[in-house]
Amino acid sequence: MVEIPFDIIGFDLDGTLLDTSGDLAAAVNHAITAIGRPAYPPDAIRPFVGKGARVMLERALAASGECTPALLDDRLPVLLDYYQQNLAIHSIPYPGCVAMLDALAARGLKLAICTNKAERFAIPLMEQIGLSDRFATIIGGDTVGIAKPDPAPIHEMIARAGGGRTAFLGDTINDIAGARNAGIASIAVTFGFLDGPVEDLEADAVIHHFDDLVPMLEGWPA
């Protein structure tokens, strides 16, 4: 068996491990249709995701009409309250995700999550999906008081997972820049919530399916 030269594999959550677009769209639609804005299909939400709920809602409001600070402040609690009650209605792991997690765990690697989603959403979501026990730690966007692309939450993820050489997977510039800022290897996934060409992320490597991850890690320079 070819050795994988890492101790920890870290993951972003939305758009990386899980396709959460259906539940995010439902929460956005709940917040905006009440003020007469049109509902979005899940695919239309994808470009709005990646920089937190406030930015997601701001983008959705702006795309459907005017977005003022007052309107954003009014609608955001509505979105968050609805989302907290409906975290895992439509959200599912991406194809190959569970088998990939099993394969990495069987090789003795620690698995961890660092997401910009707040802990009050991220941890219950993973519990409801049934995957939380596979991860040594789940770091949210509010765990250390600052979110990616700042390296602090990724450093905390590594520390809580026991330390060691780490690679981090994500689908947005916050993920890849966060890994770069933390001084660790970065891998971009193309099946998530990309808002531009994957090449623009300048990740160390790119995968198109989770089936590709273990072979790629096996070939990583020691």
Side-chain angles (χ1 to χ4, degrees), residues 37-68:
R37 301 289 176 90
Y40 288 98
D43 284 350
I45 290 292
R46 294 174 184 272
F48 303 156
V49 179
K51 295 187 176 179
R54 186 177 183 88
V55 172
M56 178 179 66
L57 179 59
E58 181 180 22
R59 289 171 171 175
L61 287 168
S64 63
E66 185 182 19
C67 178
T68 65

Side-chain angles (χ1 to χ4, degrees), residues 52-185:
R54 186 177 183 88
V55 172
M56 178 179 66
L57 179 59
E58 181 180 22
R59 289 171 171 175
L61 287 168
S64 63
E66 185 182 19
C67 178
T68 65
L71 181 59
L72 190 57
D73 289 342
D74 175 69
R75 293 290 89 195
L76 185 59
V78 176
L79 183 156
L80 295 177
D81 288 346
Y82 180 90
Y83 185 59
Q84 189 164 19
Q85 299 303 316
N86 299 275
L87 289 169
I89 307 301
H90 307 290
S91 296
I92 56 173
Y94 280 104
C97 175
V98 175
M100 173 273 299
L101 296 176
D102 287 342
L104 292 176
R107 302 288 285 271
L109 280 81
K110 294 287 187 67
L111 308 176
I113 291 172
C114 182
T115 172
N116 281 358
K117 186 190 290 291
E119 280 190 5
R120 69 184 173 112
F121 306 123
I123 294 174
L125 171 58
M126 292 304 293
E127 290 173 347
Q128 291 174 34
I129 292 290
L131 295 177
S132 60
D133 61 350
R134 297 170 183 261
F135 295 91
T137 187
I138 298 175
I139 302 297
D142 53 350
T143 301
V144 299
I146 194 166
K148 300 170 295 185
D150 191 282
I154 292 182
H155 286 151
E156 184 69 13
M157 178 197 76
I158 294 169
R160 292 193 188 186
R165 188 180 183 189
T166 303
F168 189 77
L169 282 77
D171 64 313
T172 71
I173 189 61
N174 282 345
D175 304 318
I176 304 307
R180 187 181 305 118
N181 293 338
I184 64 172

Side-chain angles (χ1 to χ4, degrees), residues 171-173 176 188-190 193-203 206:
D171 64 313
T172 71
I173 189 61
I176 304 307
V189 302
T190 60
F193 301 151
L194 292 170
D195 58 2
V198 70
E199 293 79 13
D200 291 352
L201 299 179
E202 298 183 341
V206 175

Side-chain angles (χ1 to χ4, degrees), residues 21-48:
S21 58
D23 290 317
L24 293 173
V28 168
N29 290 337
H30 178 77
I32 68 174
T33 55
I35 58 169
R37 301 289 176 90
Y40 288 98
D43 284 350
I45 290 292
R46 294 174 184 272
F48 303 156

